[in-house]
Amino acid sequence: MENATKHIILYAEDDRDDLDLVKDAFSRFNSEIELLHGFDGREALQLLHKLVANNTPPCLIILDINMPGMDGRQALIQIKQSEKTRNIPVVMFTTSNSRLDKDFAVKWGADFITKPLRFSEVVNLADDFIRRCSINISKAS
């Protein structure tokens, strides 16, 4: 990436093992990407609002669906109903492969990805997430 500013990915995840797996997968992009984390939807939304207020919105939001407190569905609705955040790409990243969850994600304009079982697959997804950010960053420029 050309500029020195890191691009931000916001990740809402309550499972520490899943969080560590994703952090490890993103580790080789540390010079380009800052992965911010909330343990539930409410925490992620608080971070998101601070980022937007500072004019540093994330290039991608990754939401787990099943979290205590505010889950990913509730967070997605709030993100997509807000004028300030509705255009930020969102990926529902979950262990669920329920048709209802997939339909919900599509209805609210999010992509749906079932969490892979192998680390190598998570690394491939990290590559995909970085590409999504790169595409979104070039669109915004």
Side-chain angles (χ1 to χ4, degrees), residues 8-69:
I8 298 168
I9 293 178
L10 179 57
Y11 182 34
E13 174 63 68
D14 64 313
D15 184 292
R16 288 193 185 274
D17 290 336
D18 286 348
L19 173 62
D20 288 343
L21 198 63
V22 169
K23 280 183 176 180
D24 287 347
F26 274 105
S27 65
R28 64 197 171 139
F29 299 107
N30 282 344
S31 64
E32 302 167 31
I33 294 292
E34 183 176 357
L35 183 66
L36 296 182
H37 170 256
F39 280 103
D40 67 10
R42 189 169 332 294
E43 210 174 286
L45 286 173
Q46 289 170 346
L47 281 167
L48 176 61
H49 294 303
K50 285 180 188 172
L51 291 168
V52 169
N54 290 330
N55 202 27
T56 56
C59 58
L60 180 66
I61 301 169
I62 304 169
L63 298 173
D64 183 24
I65 289 181
N66 298 310
M67 296 180 286

Side-chain angles (χ1 to χ4, degrees), residues 63 65 91-96 102 105 110-116 125 128-129 132:
L63 298 173
I65 289 181
V91 173
M92 303 301 283
F93 188 54
T94 179
T95 55
S96 170
K102 290 177 187 175
D111 289 332
F112 184 92
I113 297 175
T114 301
K115 291 177 182 175
L125 279 174
D128 178 55
F129 291 154
R132 290 171 192 244

